[in-house]
Amino acid sequence: MSLEIVPVWKQVTPELSSELIAMWARNRALPDPTKAAERAAQAVAVGRDTETGALWGVGTAVLGIVPSFGQPTYLYRQFFDVGARGLKQTMPFLNCIRDTLEAYNASLPKPESVGVMIELQNDEMAQRYRDMFEEEARAHFIGWSPRGRQLRVMYFDGARILLGPDAVPRQRPTTT
């Protein structure tokens, strides 16, 4: 398998959306086609096999505010096809996502986000990443999610506080 990671933020075509929906369905990850279509529109980058063109991974993000953090971030999810797991693509993929979203945020007249928020849902990864700051991903540990998972944020260069305490919602954002 020859792997590549392709940024697609704000450029998801109907064809790519269909491919993503099929990948999630094939892996029983997002069986609801409506939710899968919503998630496909949030794609930041996809992984493709350069030989076959088949998708092997996707990273999605939605702008939101985790109340305990209090700043707008891109809430990030990553999914790899079963056949692509264990190929050491997590960090290259994550770094591509961060760089893509950072460039987009920097292109806006006014930044909408301070960085990328990750909830480590993989137990093996959570055991591996125990330092408060992980250099490879530039990810800071900031606390625990309501589900007891590590929350990490990858701040964008030059990020500054965007919201004061009165602007922070009191409930956790809902994501699809």
Side-chain angles (χ1 to χ4, degrees):
M1 185 182 283
S2 180
L3 309 176
E4 72 174 336
I5 302 166
V6 182
V8 297
W9 183 241
K10 305 289 183 184
Q11 302 170 37
V12 177
T13 64
E15 295 80 18
L16 177 55
S17 182
S18 294
E19 285 183 274
L20 289 167
I21 292 166
M23 181 183 70
W24 284 317
R26 183 174 60 249
N27 285 276
R28 295 186 176 100
L30 274 175
D32 180 335
T34 302
K35 287 187 186 246
E38 289 172 10
R39 184 83 52 88
Q42 301 167 358
V44 180
V46 296
R48 284 202 183 274
D49 181 327
T50 58
E51 295 168 9
T52 66
L55 287 180
W56 56 265
V58 62
T60 62
V62 62
L63 186 65
I65 300 171
V66 173
S68 62
F69 182 64
Q71 295 301 303
T73 59
Y74 297 111
L75 306 173
Y76 179 65
R77 286 189 174 98
Q78 184 166 287
F79 178 81
F80 289 171
D81 186 272
V82 172
R85 294 175 191 168
L87 299 178
K88 301 191 184 306
Q89 292 301 303
T90 298
M91 282 302 163
F93 212 90
L94 187 58
N95 289 330
C96 175
I97 297 295
R98 184 199 55 242
D99 293 347
T100 299
L101 291 172
E102 185 170 26
Y104 170 76
N105 195 63
S107 76
L108 299 173
K110 180 181 172 192
E112 66 180 8
S113 174
V114 299
V116 179
M117 175 87 57
I118 311 161
E119 179 182 17
L120 285 182
Q121 295 181 12
N122 180 301
D123 291 332
E124 184 179 314
M125 288 183 69
Q127 287 303 314
R128 186 177 326 139
Y129 298 110
R130 304 295 293 172
D131 291 338
M132 294 301 285
F133 176 73
E134 291 295 340
E135 183 67 39
E136 188 177 8
R138 298 186 351 224
H140 299 263
F141 173 79
I142 60 162
W144 304 101
S145 75
R147 294 184 281 202
R149 302 295 188 168
Q150 284 188 35
L151 285 177
R152 292 190 172 265
V153 68
M154 299 180 295
Y155 291 109
F156 294 150
D157 288 339
R160 300 180 54 90
I161 295 171
L162 297 177
L163 298 177
D166 295 338
V168 178
R170 300 292 175 220
Q171 294 183 11
R172 184 167 174 83
T174 56
T175 58
T176 54

